[in-house]
Amino acid sequence: MLASLKTNKANGPDDISVNMIKLSGNALCAPLKLIFNNILTTGIFPKQWKRANVTPVHKKENKQVINNYRPISLLPIFAKVFEKIIFNNLYNHLNRNNLITKNQSGFRPGDSVTNQLIYLVLTVLKILK
């Protein structure tokens, strides 16, 4: 997972860059595994990983109007890696055990709210026929 990180991502508040992580190579895997397992065992997430650099990003129209900006949070890379590992394992478990309904669209690759709206419209049309 560390090797697949995108190097164009901005640093979080810990100022650890993806480039530095990639240069460290496999040397980080064992310590990260210990940290991740400790988080899962104790239920305590590192306070440093809860911090974020919040940056305003212009959405539309006049740049002088504050409502035309949205915040983005730049999180520590290791927090994002941990989140991705948890997501992948949980998602795979739910899929393997058929615990996600076919109507669930959120966080499913290749699915969207648009698909659900089309399904709903088609269902209503069938009922009305």
Side-chain angles (χ1 to χ4, degrees), residues 10-57:
N11 301 351
D14 58 3
D15 219 21
I16 298 173
S17 70
V18 173
N19 284 331
M20 187 172 16
I21 293 169
K22 286 192 170 207
L23 285 172
S24 301
N26 291 335
L28 289 174
C29 292
L32 282 176
K33 182 180 177 185
L34 289 172
I35 293 168
F36 292 167
N37 284 334
N38 190 44
I39 292 169
L40 294 171
T41 302
T42 64
I44 299 171
F45 195 76
K47 287 181 184 178
Q48 299 89 336
W49 289 3
K50 294 178 184 180
R51 299 188 67 216
N53 292 340
V54 180
T55 304
V57 174

Side-chain angles (χ1 to χ4, degrees), residues 53-106:
N53 292 340
V54 180
T55 304
V57 174
H58 183 251
K59 294 187 298 188
K60 60 182 178 182
E61 300 169 4
N62 187 348
K63 290 188 175 186
Q64 303 302 315
V65 178
I66 197 165
N67 288 337
N68 291 339
Y69 288 82
R70 66 177 177 83
I72 62 162
S73 297
L74 303 174
L75 300 168
I77 302 295
F78 294 131
K80 292 196 279 188
V81 169
F82 179 73
E83 178 183 332
K84 185 72 173 167
I85 290 169
I86 295 299
F87 172 81
N88 287 345
N89 282 286
L90 183 59
Y91 186 76
N92 290 336
H93 170 78
L94 294 173
N95 270 335
R96 259 192 323 274
N97 295 291
N98 295 317
L99 297 172
I100 300 178
T101 91
K102 64 179 181 171
N103 299 325
Q104 170 67 39
S105 284

